[in-house]
Amino acid sequence: MADFTKKAIRASFLRLLNEKPLKQITVRDIVDDCGINRNTFYYHFQDIPQLVETMIQDEADQLIAEHESMDSVEECLEAIIAFALKNRTAVLHIYRSVNRAIYEQYLWRVCDHVVTDYIDHQLEGRKVSEFDRATIIKFLKCMSFGLVTDWLENGMQENVIDFTRRICEMKQGDLEQMINECEQE
């Protein structure tokens, strides 16, 4: 029953977050929408910031579980962007709030997972030092994070999927060149 109530609280919060900015949502709004009392809310969550953090963390965990293996940079970026597109208004409300750092930590963690998985797949059977592996991962992680945060910063205006695909087309071969440059005899 507790899991059901927690899911109901999260669903109500997400519904409200899609309607109005985070700073305008109160615990009273959530419990009224959810049909529970305040004590029940506080049994599950300390406050709204903890609810935000829990939701973002759970979404990151789910995304990572759903995308255990990545085959391309585009797939990495598309996986990162999927949740944001599904909940565009809610994501912008969180991103533009004091909880922005929580969302950026989620994004950084997901970028790290998908890029690391992709690079490790690309490096199978290749002799590349741990330092060079980490350098390539950091470069692609920063690129991915930067593209997504720039898109969020601009209100998710452009079609980020087409933009991402075009960047990947323009940079095609760069990763292979970096790996070849790092490969040891």
Short mmCIF file of all heavy atoms in Angstrom, two decimals, residues 31-85:
data_model
loop_
_atom_site.label_atom_id
_atom_site.label_comp_id
_atom_site.label_asym_id
_atom_site.label_seq_id
_atom_site.Cartn_x
_atom_site.Cartn_y
_atom_site.Cartn_z
N VAL A 31 -1.38 17.12 -1.72
CA VAL A 31 -2.28 16.24 -0.97
C VAL A 31 -3.73 16.41 -1.41
O VAL A 31 -4.49 15.43 -1.45
CB VAL A 31 -2.11 16.37 0.56
CG1 VAL A 31 -0.69 16.03 0.98
CG2 VAL A 31 -2.52 17.73 1.07
N ASP A 32 -4.12 17.63 -1.76
CA ASP A 32 -5.48 17.84 -2.26
C ASP A 32 -5.68 17.13 -3.59
O ASP A 32 -6.71 16.49 -3.82
CB ASP A 32 -5.78 19.34 -2.42
CG ASP A 32 -5.97 20.05 -1.08
OD1 ASP A 32 -6.09 19.36 -0.04
OD2 ASP A 32 -5.98 21.30 -1.08
N ASP A 33 -4.71 17.24 -4.47
CA ASP A 33 -4.79 16.58 -5.78
C ASP A 33 -4.79 15.06 -5.63
O ASP A 33 -5.49 14.36 -6.35
CB ASP A 33 -3.62 17.02 -6.66
CG ASP A 33 -3.73 16.46 -8.07
OD1 ASP A 33 -4.50 17.01 -8.87
OD2 ASP A 33 -3.04 15.45 -8.36
N CYS A 34 -4.02 14.59 -4.68
CA CYS A 34 -3.83 13.15 -4.48
C CYS A 34 -4.94 12.52 -3.64
O CYS A 34 -5.16 11.31 -3.70
CB CYS A 34 -2.47 12.95 -3.80
SG CYS A 34 -1.87 11.29 -3.78
N GLY A 35 -5.61 13.35 -2.83
CA GLY A 35 -6.68 12.81 -1.97
C GLY A 35 -6.16 12.15 -0.71
O GLY A 35 -6.77 11.19 -0.21
N ILE A 36 -5.03 12.64 -0.19
CA ILE A 36 -4.47 12.10 1.04
C ILE A 36 -4.31 13.25 2.04
O ILE A 36 -4.53 14.40 1.70
CB ILE A 36 -3.10 11.42 0.82
CG1 ILE A 36 -2.08 12.42 0.26
CG2 ILE A 36 -3.24 10.21 -0.09
CD1 ILE A 36 -0.64 11.92 0.20
N ASN A 37 -3.91 12.93 3.27
CA ASN A 37 -3.67 14.01 4.22
C ASN A 37 -2.18 14.36 4.28
O ASN A 37 -1.35 13.61 3.77
CB ASN A 37 -4.24 13.66 5.61
CG ASN A 37 -3.55 12.49 6.24
OD1 ASN A 37 -2.32 12.38 6.24
ND2 ASN A 37 -4.33 11.58 6.82
N ARG A 38 -1.87 15.47 4.91
CA ARG A 38 -0.49 15.97 4.98
C ARG A 38 0.43 14.98 5.69
O ARG A 38 1.58 14.82 5.29
CB ARG A 38 -0.45 17.33 5.69
CG ARG A 38 -1.07 18.45 4.87
CD ARG A 38 -1.12 19.75 5.65
NE ARG A 38 0.19 20.30 5.95
CZ ARG A 38 0.89 21.10 5.14
NH1 ARG A 38 0.39 21.43 3.97
NH2 ARG A 38 2.07 21.56 5.49
N ASN A 39 -0.06 14.34 6.72
CA ASN A 39 0.78 13.38 7.46
C ASN A 39 1.22 12.24 6.56
O ASN A 39 2.34 11.75 6.68
CB ASN A 39 0.04 12.83 8.68
CG ASN A 39 -0.09 13.87 9.77
OD1 ASN A 39 0.66 14.84 9.82
ND2 ASN A 39 -1.07 13.68 10.64
N THR A 40 0.34 11.83 5.67
CA THR A 40 0.70 10.75 4.74
C THR A 40 1.81 11.21 3.81
O THR A 40 2.75 10.46 3.54
CB THR A 40 -0.54 10.29 3.93
OG1 THR A 40 -1.55 9.88 4.85
CG2 THR A 40 -0.19 9.16 2.99
N PHE A 41 1.71 12.44 3.32
CA PHE A 41 2.79 12.98 2.49
C PHE A 41 4.10 12.95 3.26
O PHE A 41 5.12 12.46 2.76
CB PHE A 41 2.48 14.42 2.03
CG PHE A 41 3.61 15.04 1.27
CD1 PHE A 41 3.69 14.90 -0.10
CD2 PHE A 41 4.63 15.75 1.92
CE1 PHE A 41 4.75 15.46 -0.83
CE2 PHE A 41 5.69 16.30 1.23
CZ PHE A 41 5.76 16.15 -0.15
N TYR A 42 4.08 13.47 4.48
CA TYR A 42 5.31 13.56 5.27
C TYR A 42 5.83 12.20 5.74
O TYR A 42 7.00 12.07 6.08
CB TYR A 42 5.12 14.52 6.45
CG TYR A 42 5.03 15.96 5.99
CD1 TYR A 42 3.87 16.70 6.18
CD2 TYR A 42 6.10 16.58 5.35
CE1 TYR A 42 3.79 18.02 5.76
CE2 TYR A 42 6.03 17.89 4.92
CZ TYR A 42 4.87 18.60 5.13
OH TYR A 42 4.80 19.90 4.70
N TYR A 43 4.98 11.21 5.73
CA TYR A 43 5.44 9.85 6.03
C TYR A 43 6.38 9.36 4.92
O TYR A 43 7.34 8.65 5.19
CB TYR A 43 4.24 8.91 6.17
CG TYR A 43 4.62 7.46 6.35
CD1 TYR A 43 5.05 6.99 7.58
CD2 TYR A 43 4.57 6.58 5.27
CE1 TYR A 43 5.42 5.66 7.74
CE2 TYR A 43 4.93 5.24 5.42
CZ TYR A 43 5.36 4.79 6.66
OH TYR A 43 5.73 3.47 6.81
N HIS A 44 6.08 9.76 3.68
CA HIS A 44 6.85 9.30 2.52
C HIS A 44 7.98 10.25 2.12
O HIS A 44 9.02 9.80 1.62
CB HIS A 44 5.91 9.09 1.32
CG HIS A 44 4.93 7.99 1.55
ND1 HIS A 44 5.29 6.66 1.50
CD2 HIS A 44 3.61 8.03 1.84
CE1 HIS A 44 4.23 5.92 1.75
NE2 HIS A 44 3.20 6.72 1.95
N PHE A 45 7.77 11.55 2.31
CA PHE A 45 8.76 12.54 1.88
C PHE A 45 8.92 13.61 2.95
O PHE A 45 7.94 14.07 3.52
CB PHE A 45 8.34 13.20 0.56
CG PHE A 45 8.17 12.22 -0.56
CD1 PHE A 45 6.91 11.77 -0.93
CD2 PHE A 45 9.27 11.72 -1.24
CE1 PHE A 45 6.75 10.85 -1.95
CE2 PHE A 45 9.12 10.80 -2.27
CZ PHE A 45 7.85 10.36 -2.62
N GLN A 46 10.14 14.03 3.16
CA GLN A 46 10.43 15.06 4.15
C GLN A 46 9.84 16.40 3.72
O GLN A 46 9.29 17.15 4.52
CB GLN A 46 11.94 15.18 4.32
CG GLN A 46 12.38 16.23 5.29
CD GLN A 46 13.90 16.31 5.36
OE1 GLN A 46 14.61 15.41 4.93
NE2 GLN A 46 14.40 17.40 5.90
N ASP A 47 9.96 16.71 2.41
CA ASP A 47 9.47 17.96 1.87
C ASP A 47 9.44 17.86 0.34
O ASP A 47 9.78 16.81 -0.22
CB ASP A 47 10.33 19.15 2.33
CG ASP A 47 11.82 18.93 2.07
OD1 ASP A 47 12.19 18.09 1.22
OD2 ASP A 47 12.62 19.63 2.72
N ILE A 48 9.07 18.92 -0.32
CA ILE A 48 9.00 18.90 -1.79
C ILE A 48 10.38 18.72 -2.42
O ILE A 48 10.51 17.94 -3.37
CB ILE A 48 8.25 20.14 -2.32
CG1 ILE A 48 6.76 20.03 -1.93
CG2 ILE A 48 8.40 20.27 -3.84
CD1 ILE A 48 5.91 21.22 -2.31
N PRO A 49 11.44 19.39 -1.94
CA PRO A 49 12.75 19.14 -2.54
C PRO A 49 13.17 17.66 -2.48
O PRO A 49 13.76 17.15 -3.44
CB PRO A 49 13.70 20.03 -1.72
CG PRO A 49 12.83 21.17 -1.31
CD PRO A 49 11.49 20.54 -1.01
N GLN A 50 12.86 16.98 -1.40
CA GLN A 50 13.18 15.55 -1.34
C GLN A 50 12.35 14.77 -2.35
O GLN A 50 12.85 13.83 -2.98
CB GLN A 50 12.97 14.98 0.07
CG GLN A 50 13.44 13.53 0.12
CD GLN A 50 12.93 12.77 1.32
OE1 GLN A 50 11.88 13.07 1.87
NE2 GLN A 50 13.69 11.76 1.71
N LEU A 51 11.09 15.16 -2.53
CA LEU A 51 10.24 14.52 -3.54
C LEU A 51 10.84 14.72 -4.93
O LEU A 51 10.93 13.77 -5.72
CB LEU A 51 8.81 15.09 -3.48
CG LEU A 51 7.84 14.70 -4.58
CD1 LEU A 51 7.65 13.19 -4.65
CD2 LEU A 51 6.50 15.40 -4.36
N VAL A 52 11.29 15.93 -5.23
CA VAL A 52 11.92 16.21 -6.52
C VAL A 52 13.15 15.33 -6.70
O VAL A 52 13.33 14.68 -7.74
CB VAL A 52 12.31 17.71 -6.65
CG1 VAL A 52 13.17 17.95 -7.88
CG2 VAL A 52 11.07 18.58 -6.69
N GLU A 53 14.01 15.31 -5.70
CA GLU A 53 15.24 14.53 -5.78
C GLU A 53 14.95 13.04 -5.97
O GLU A 53 15.58 12.38 -6.79
CB GLU A 53 16.08 14.75 -4.53
CG GLU A 53 17.44 14.10 -4.62
CD GLU A 53 18.36 14.51 -3.48
OE1 GLU A 53 18.01 15.41 -2.68
OE2 GLU A 53 19.45 13.93 -3.41
N THR A 54 13.99 12.52 -5.23
CA THR A 54 13.62 11.10 -5.35
C THR A 54 13.10 10.79 -6.75
O THR A 54 13.49 9.79 -7.35
CB THR A 54 12.55 10.74 -4.30
OG1 THR A 54 13.09 10.99 -3.00
CG2 THR A 54 12.14 9.28 -4.41
N MET A 55 12.24 11.66 -7.26
CA MET A 55 11.70 11.43 -8.60
C MET A 55 12.80 11.44 -9.66
O MET A 55 12.84 10.58 -10.53
CB MET A 55 10.64 12.48 -8.94
CG MET A 55 9.33 12.26 -8.22
SD MET A 55 8.09 13.51 -8.64
CE MET A 55 7.86 13.20 -10.37
N ILE A 56 13.69 12.40 -9.58
CA ILE A 56 14.76 12.51 -10.57
C ILE A 56 15.69 11.31 -10.47
O ILE A 56 16.09 10.72 -11.48
CB ILE A 56 15.51 13.85 -10.40
CG1 ILE A 56 14.60 15.00 -10.84
CG2 ILE A 56 16.80 13.85 -11.22
CD1 ILE A 56 15.14 16.38 -10.54
N GLN A 57 16.03 10.93 -9.25
CA GLN A 57 16.91 9.77 -9.03
C GLN A 57 16.26 8.50 -9.59
O GLN A 57 16.92 7.70 -10.27
CB GLN A 57 17.19 9.60 -7.53
CG GLN A 57 18.14 8.47 -7.22
CD GLN A 57 19.54 8.73 -7.73
OE1 GLN A 57 20.03 9.85 -7.64
NE2 GLN A 57 20.18 7.72 -8.27
N ASP A 58 14.97 8.32 -9.33
CA ASP A 58 14.27 7.13 -9.83
C ASP A 58 14.22 7.12 -11.36
O ASP A 58 14.35 6.07 -11.99
CB ASP A 58 12.85 7.05 -9.25
CG ASP A 58 12.84 6.71 -7.77
OD1 ASP A 58 13.90 6.34 -7.21
OD2 ASP A 58 11.75 6.84 -7.15
N GLU A 59 14.02 8.28 -11.96
CA GLU A 59 14.01 8.37 -13.42
C GLU A 59 15.38 8.03 -13.99
O GLU A 59 15.49 7.34 -15.01
CB GLU A 59 13.56 9.76 -13.89
CG GLU A 59 12.09 10.03 -13.69
CD GLU A 59 11.19 9.09 -14.47
OE1 GLU A 59 11.53 8.65 -15.59
OE2 GLU A 59 10.11 8.77 -13.94
N ALA A 60 16.43 8.51 -13.34
CA ALA A 60 17.79 8.18 -13.79
C ALA A 60 18.03 6.69 -13.69
O ALA A 60 18.55 6.07 -14.63
CB ALA A 60 18.82 8.94 -12.95
N ASP A 61 17.65 6.09 -12.58
CA ASP A 61 17.82 4.64 -12.40
C ASP A 61 17.06 3.86 -13.48
O ASP A 61 17.58 2.89 -14.04
CB ASP A 61 17.35 4.20 -11.01
CG ASP A 61 18.24 4.70 -9.89
OD1 ASP A 61 19.38 5.13 -10.18
OD2 ASP A 61 17.79 4.68 -8.74
N GLN A 62 15.83 4.29 -13.76
CA GLN A 62 15.01 3.61 -14.76
C GLN A 62 15.63 3.76 -16.15
O GLN A 62 15.70 2.79 -16.91
CB GLN A 62 13.59 4.16 -14.76
CG GLN A 62 12.67 3.48 -15.75
CD GLN A 62 11.25 4.04 -15.69
OE1 GLN A 62 10.85 4.66 -14.73
NE2 GLN A 62 10.50 3.81 -16.76
N LEU A 63 16.08 4.95 -16.49
CA LEU A 63 16.69 5.19 -17.79
C LEU A 63 17.94 4.34 -17.97
O LEU A 63 18.15 3.72 -19.02
CB LEU A 63 17.03 6.66 -17.97
CG LEU A 63 17.64 7.07 -19.30
CD1 LEU A 63 16.69 6.80 -20.44
CD2 LEU A 63 18.02 8.53 -19.28
N ILE A 64 18.75 4.26 -16.94
CA ILE A 64 19.97 3.46 -17.00
C ILE A 64 19.62 1.98 -17.15
O ILE A 64 20.24 1.27 -17.95
CB ILE A 64 20.85 3.73 -15.76
CG1 ILE A 64 21.46 5.13 -15.87
CG2 ILE A 64 21.93 2.66 -15.60
CD1 ILE A 64 22.11 5.64 -14.60
N ALA A 65 18.62 1.52 -16.43
CA ALA A 65 18.21 0.11 -16.54
C ALA A 65 17.66 -0.21 -17.93
O ALA A 65 17.91 -1.29 -18.46
CB ALA A 65 17.16 -0.21 -15.47
N GLU A 66 16.92 0.72 -18.52
CA GLU A 66 16.33 0.50 -19.84
C GLU A 66 17.36 0.55 -20.96
O GLU A 66 17.15 0.01 -22.03
CB GLU A 66 15.25 1.54 -20.11
CG GLU A 66 13.99 1.35 -19.31
CD GLU A 66 13.00 2.48 -19.49
OE1 GLU A 66 13.27 3.43 -20.26
OE2 GLU A 66 11.95 2.43 -18.83
N HIS A 67 18.47 1.24 -20.74
CA HIS A 67 19.49 1.42 -21.77
C HIS A 67 20.83 0.89 -21.27
O HIS A 67 21.78 1.64 -21.09
CB HIS A 67 19.61 2.90 -22.16
CG HIS A 67 18.36 3.45 -22.76
ND1 HIS A 67 18.04 3.27 -24.07
CD2 HIS A 67 17.33 4.12 -22.20
CE1 HIS A 67 16.86 3.85 -24.31
NE2 HIS A 67 16.41 4.36 -23.19
N GLU A 68 20.87 -0.41 -21.06
CA GLU A 68 22.09 -1.02 -20.55
C GLU A 68 23.22 -0.98 -21.58
O GLU A 68 24.38 -1.00 -21.22
CB GLU A 68 21.82 -2.46 -20.12
CG GLU A 68 20.96 -2.54 -18.87
CD GLU A 68 20.72 -3.96 -18.43
OE1 GLU A 68 21.43 -4.87 -18.89
OE2 GLU A 68 19.81 -4.15 -17.61
N SER A 69 22.88 -0.93 -22.85
CA SER A 69 23.91 -0.95 -23.89
C SER A 69 23.58 0.09 -24.96
O SER A 69 22.45 0.17 -25.42
CB SER A 69 23.98 -2.34 -24.51
OG SER A 69 24.94 -2.36 -25.52
N MET A 70 24.58 0.87 -25.33
CA MET A 70 24.41 1.90 -26.35
C MET A 70 25.26 1.57 -27.57
O MET A 70 26.41 1.16 -27.43
CB MET A 70 24.84 3.27 -25.81
CG MET A 70 24.01 3.75 -24.65
SD MET A 70 22.37 4.20 -25.22
CE MET A 70 21.52 4.28 -23.66
N ASP A 71 24.69 1.77 -28.75
CA ASP A 71 25.40 1.44 -29.98
C ASP A 71 25.91 2.65 -30.74
O ASP A 71 26.66 2.51 -31.70
CB ASP A 71 24.49 0.62 -30.90
CG ASP A 71 24.14 -0.73 -30.30
OD1 ASP A 71 25.01 -1.32 -29.63
OD2 ASP A 71 23.00 -1.17 -30.48
N SER A 72 25.49 3.86 -30.37
CA SER A 72 25.93 5.05 -31.08
C SER A 72 25.84 6.27 -30.17
O SER A 72 25.14 6.26 -29.16
CB SER A 72 25.06 5.29 -32.33
OG SER A 72 23.76 5.66 -31.94
N VAL A 73 26.55 7.34 -30.55
CA VAL A 73 26.47 8.59 -29.80
C VAL A 73 25.05 9.14 -29.88
O VAL A 73 24.51 9.64 -28.89
CB VAL A 73 27.49 9.62 -30.34
CG1 VAL A 73 27.32 10.97 -29.66
CG2 VAL A 73 28.90 9.11 -30.16
N GLU A 74 24.42 9.01 -31.05
CA GLU A 74 23.05 9.48 -31.19
C GLU A 74 22.13 8.78 -30.21
O GLU A 74 21.27 9.41 -29.59
CB GLU A 74 22.50 9.24 -32.61
CG GLU A 74 23.18 10.06 -33.66
CD GLU A 74 23.96 9.21 -34.64
OE1 GLU A 74 24.80 8.42 -34.19
OE2 GLU A 74 23.74 9.33 -35.84
N GLU A 75 22.28 7.47 -30.08
CA GLU A 75 21.44 6.72 -29.16
C GLU A 75 21.67 7.20 -27.73
O GLU A 75 20.73 7.32 -26.95
CB GLU A 75 21.71 5.22 -29.27
CG GLU A 75 20.75 4.38 -28.45
CD GLU A 75 21.01 2.89 -28.58
OE1 GLU A 75 21.76 2.47 -29.47
OE2 GLU A 75 20.45 2.15 -27.75
N CYS A 76 22.91 7.50 -27.40
CA CYS A 76 23.23 8.03 -26.07
C CYS A 76 22.45 9.32 -25.81
O CYS A 76 21.78 9.46 -24.79
CB CYS A 76 24.72 8.34 -25.94
SG CYS A 76 25.81 6.91 -25.97
N LEU A 77 22.55 10.25 -26.75
CA LEU A 77 21.89 11.54 -26.57
C LEU A 77 20.37 11.41 -26.61
O LEU A 77 19.67 12.07 -25.84
CB LEU A 77 22.38 12.52 -27.63
CG LEU A 77 23.84 12.94 -27.47
CD1 LEU A 77 24.32 13.69 -28.70
CD2 LEU A 77 24.03 13.77 -26.21
N GLU A 78 19.85 10.58 -27.47
CA GLU A 78 18.41 10.39 -27.55
C GLU A 78 17.86 9.79 -26.26
O GLU A 78 16.77 10.16 -25.81
CB GLU A 78 18.03 9.55 -28.76
CG GLU A 78 18.21 10.31 -30.06
CD GLU A 78 17.98 9.46 -31.31
OE1 GLU A 78 17.40 8.37 -31.21
OE2 GLU A 78 18.40 9.92 -32.38
N ALA A 79 18.60 8.89 -25.64
CA ALA A 79 18.18 8.29 -24.37
C ALA A 79 18.12 9.36 -23.28
O ALA A 79 17.19 9.40 -22.47
CB ALA A 79 19.12 7.17 -23.96
N ILE A 80 19.09 10.25 -23.28
CA ILE A 80 19.15 11.31 -22.27
C ILE A 80 17.98 12.28 -22.44
O ILE A 80 17.41 12.77 -21.47
CB ILE A 80 20.50 12.06 -22.39
CG1 ILE A 80 21.64 11.13 -21.96
CG2 ILE A 80 20.50 13.33 -21.55
CD1 ILE A 80 23.02 11.62 -22.34
N ILE A 81 17.60 12.55 -23.67
CA ILE A 81 16.58 13.55 -23.97
C ILE A 81 15.15 13.01 -23.83
O ILE A 81 14.21 13.77 -23.61
CB ILE A 81 16.82 14.09 -25.41
CG1 ILE A 81 18.11 14.87 -25.44
CG2 ILE A 81 15.67 14.92 -25.90
CD1 ILE A 81 18.65 15.13 -26.83
N ALA A 82 14.98 11.71 -23.89
CA ALA A 82 13.64 11.09 -23.92
C ALA A 82 12.75 11.53 -22.76
O ALA A 82 11.60 11.91 -22.98
CB ALA A 82 13.76 9.57 -23.95
N PHE A 83 13.24 11.45 -21.53
CA PHE A 83 12.41 11.85 -20.39
C PHE A 83 12.03 13.31 -20.47
O PHE A 83 10.89 13.69 -20.19
CB PHE A 83 13.11 11.57 -19.06
CG PHE A 83 12.32 12.07 -17.88
CD1 PHE A 83 11.22 11.37 -17.42
CD2 PHE A 83 12.66 13.26 -17.25
CE1 PHE A 83 10.48 11.84 -16.35
CE2 PHE A 83 11.92 13.73 -16.18
CZ PHE A 83 10.82 13.02 -15.72
N ALA A 84 12.98 14.16 -20.85
CA ALA A 84 12.71 15.59 -20.93
C ALA A 84 11.59 15.88 -21.94
O ALA A 84 10.71 16.70 -21.68
CB ALA A 84 13.97 16.35 -21.31
N LEU A 85 11.61 15.19 -23.06
CA LEU A 85 10.57 15.41 -24.07
C LEU A 85 9.20 14.93 -23.58
O LEU A 85 8.19 15.55 -23.86
CB LEU A 85 10.94 14.71 -25.37
CG LEU A 85 12.07 15.32 -26.16
CD1 LEU A 85 12.44 14.43 -27.35
CD2 LEU A 85 11.71 16.72 -26.63
#
